[in-house]
Amino acid sequence: MRIGLVGTGRIGAFHAGVLARHPEVEALVLADADAVRAARVAGALGAEAAPTVEALFGHALDAVVIASATAAHAELIGRAAAAGLPAFCEKPIALDVPGTLSALRAVSEAGTELQLGFMRRFDAGYRAAREAVADGRLGRLHTVRATTSDPAPPPAAYLPLSGGLFRDCLVHDFDIVRWVTGREVVEVYATGSDAGPPLFREAGDVDTAAALLTLDDGTLVTATATRCNGAGYDVRMELAGELDQIAVGWDDRTPVESVEPLGPRPPAKPWSGFLERFAPAYEAELDAFVHLVRGERDNPCNGHEALAALRVAEACALSRRERRVVRLAEVAGAGAS
């Protein structure tokens, strides 16, 4: 199999390493807006570097992996579809619903596959939680608590391009809540704070946010996120039902210290970031993509899943801006196919 990869920044270089080691990938071609960076990553992996993205699409490829800057995702998805190539794309498809719908139309019209990079679906803990909900172990699920806490803010230049905390960060929580519970979000109320570093206020973003989601069966979900968690990278989910309660993300590296006399001590080596915490999940999602391209499995996370998570993020952004409850029915894109 011959795969082209666009984007050789932090996540793109990681994906390139995974693909270069995959037994079913015979050749890997890399491209980036920064051709020097692409050549450097390719050289380290024994891969080929195309001088431009246009040149990459001139190769005889079997599939494309898109890990470029967010602003280029929709256009690259469309280009892959026009070339008849299945594509894997890091989230999001686009930073707004119209751009997302346009890319999805291109994929639908071409009849190609698009897999989105919501890696938590491939994490062992989240998969076990989904099974626990599905098999009834928890009884009626009444409360879900999800959190994503980054240890430090991203570069200031990234923030204006990110789409904001709801679309860039909490969108992972919105996706995994839907996937684990098997339910849809019908209503949100969200707020945020920009009381931290000034770069967030300058970008019109918030450094900390919280959302209350109501699912279609009445389950209540709290989803919180911050860019300023000095203790380390902390991603967790707690699910409480009438029969039992479970947690994802609690282990000997969770950056939380109990102040109870008999509570667990702080971790000696807390998680430092998403690539470390979710490395096995990232590898598993790309393995799934390779087998999707080979026709050996169904798509585990298609573009419409990304649209559903984005619509929740859009509703939260609107709720924060207008300080009110927002129904998902108010957000464009419902029923898109």
Side-chain angles (χ1 to χ4, degrees), residues 165-166 170 189-193 206 208-212 223 225 316 319-321 323:
L165 193 59
F166 293 110
L170 274 164
Y189 180 75
T191 188
S193 170
V206 293
T208 303
L212 174 63
C316 288
S319 176
R320 184 185 79 85
R321 188 166 61 248
R323 303 180 66 85

Side-chain angles (χ1 to χ4, degrees), residues 213-297:
L213 318 176
T214 302
L215 305 187
D216 56 14
D217 65 346
T219 301
L220 298 182
V221 180
T222 58
T224 63
T226 185
R227 302 285 199 184
C228 305
N229 194 57
Y233 182 72
D234 187 10
V235 172
R236 280 179 281 139
M237 174 183 275
E238 299 171 7
L239 300 103
E242 291 183 337
L243 298 181
D244 203 355
Q245 181 171 229
I246 58 174
V248 178
W250 278 107
D251 58 26
D252 60 1
R253 298 190 65 183
T254 304
V256 177
E257 178 181 2
S258 173
V259 295
E260 298 295 338
L262 300 179
R265 297 300 91 195
K269 186 181 179 183
W271 295 111
S272 61
F274 62 91
L275 284 180
E276 183 185 33
R277 165 67 175 84
F278 288 110
Y282 279 116
E283 294 194 16
E285 69 176 359
L286 284 178
D287 180 69
F289 178 63
V290 168
H291 288 284
L292 171 66
V293 174
R294 289 170 58 87
E296 296 171 349
R297 68 162 297 165

Side-chain angles (χ1 to χ4, degrees), residues 29-57:
V29 185
L30 310 183
D32 194 293
D34 182 343
V36 173
R37 182 169 67 180
R40 183 173 64 249
V41 174
L45 297 173
E48 183 179 349
T52 63
V53 174
E54 290 73 17
L56 178 139
F57 276 93

Side-chain angles (χ1 to χ4, degrees), residues 190-211:
T191 188
S193 170
D194 62 2
L199 70 163
F200 291 97
R201 291 186 292 279
E202 293 164 1
D205 197 4
V206 293
D207 59 81
T208 303

Side-chain angles (χ1 to χ4, degrees), residues 127-219:
R127 296 180 75 87
R130 186 173 192 248
E131 292 171 6
V133 172
D135 67 18
R137 169 185 158 189
L138 306 182
R140 182 185 68 85
L141 190 65
H142 53 74
T143 307
V144 178
R145 293 174 286 272
T147 188
T148 295
S149 300
D150 289 333
Y158 172 78
L159 289 175
L161 308 175
S162 71
L165 193 59
F166 293 110
R167 299 181 187 88
D168 180 57
C169 182
L170 274 164
V171 71
H172 279 290
D173 296 274
F174 302 150
D175 175 72
I176 205 64
V177 163
R178 294 180 59 252
W179 188 75
V180 167
T181 66
R183 314 303 306 194
E184 296 295 339
V185 178
V186 295
E187 184 178 276
V188 310
Y189 180 75
T191 188
S193 170
D194 62 2
L199 70 163
F200 291 97
R201 291 186 292 279
E202 293 164 1
D205 197 4
V206 293
D207 59 81
T208 303
L212 174 63
L213 318 176
T214 302
L215 305 187
D216 56 14
D217 65 346
T219 301

